[in-house]
Amino acid sequence: MEIAHNYQSAFKKFISFAPDLVIMDVCLGDDDADGRQLCNEIRRFNRWVPIILMSGRHDVLKDHEQYGANDTIDKPFDMEKLLLKIDKLLTAKPGI
């Protein structure tokens, strides 16, 4: 597991770590970029890695697919619900 606190750090870690799954908050602590923009950037490099976007504001998650996210979760979230989403995404066949 890798943790990043802003857009640049998250993208650099994504490139170097090549994770099997990305879970990120829409709010990355940057004024210039957010998790939705990072989703787009990740999709330029990897179309298949599952991405879950999270936010305390449901309205910013409604168009998650246009940014390349596979799923969303509202904060505060139930850990069991998050684990079910992770399991679903990691066991799905690529491209589905």
Side-chain angles (χ1 to χ4, degrees):
M1 178 168 60
E2 293 288 323
I3 298 173
H5 298 285
N6 60 48
Y7 183 99
Q8 290 298 331
S9 173
F11 187 67
K12 287 178 185 176
K13 287 184 181 209
F14 174 79
I15 296 299
S16 64
F17 186 63
D20 294 322
L21 173 78
V22 175
I23 302 172
M24 75 175 109
D25 200 314
V26 169
C27 180
L28 295 175
D30 289 329
D31 292 333
D32 298 331
D34 67 28
R36 295 170 296 186
Q37 293 162 313
L38 182 55
C39 260
N40 281 330
E41 191 71 19
I42 287 171
R43 286 293 176 233
R44 291 182 205 178
F45 287 87
N46 185 319
R47 292 178 41 207
W48 307 113
V49 65
I51 300 173
I52 299 174
L53 276 178
M54 68 171 74
S55 178
R57 292 181 44 208
H58 182 73
D59 60 312
V60 302
L61 297 174
K62 65 181 178 177
D63 296 327
H64 70 278
E65 291 169 336
Q66 84 179 37
Y67 299 104
N70 300 85
D71 206 343
T72 64
I73 193 158
D74 294 317
K75 295 189 314 186
F77 57 86
D78 176 349
M79 185 58 76
E80 189 171 317
K81 184 176 178 181
L82 177 60
L83 292 174
L84 287 171
K85 288 175 178 277
I86 291 169
D87 185 58
K88 177 184 165 192
L89 289 171
L90 291 179
T91 57
K93 294 185 183 351
I96 294 179

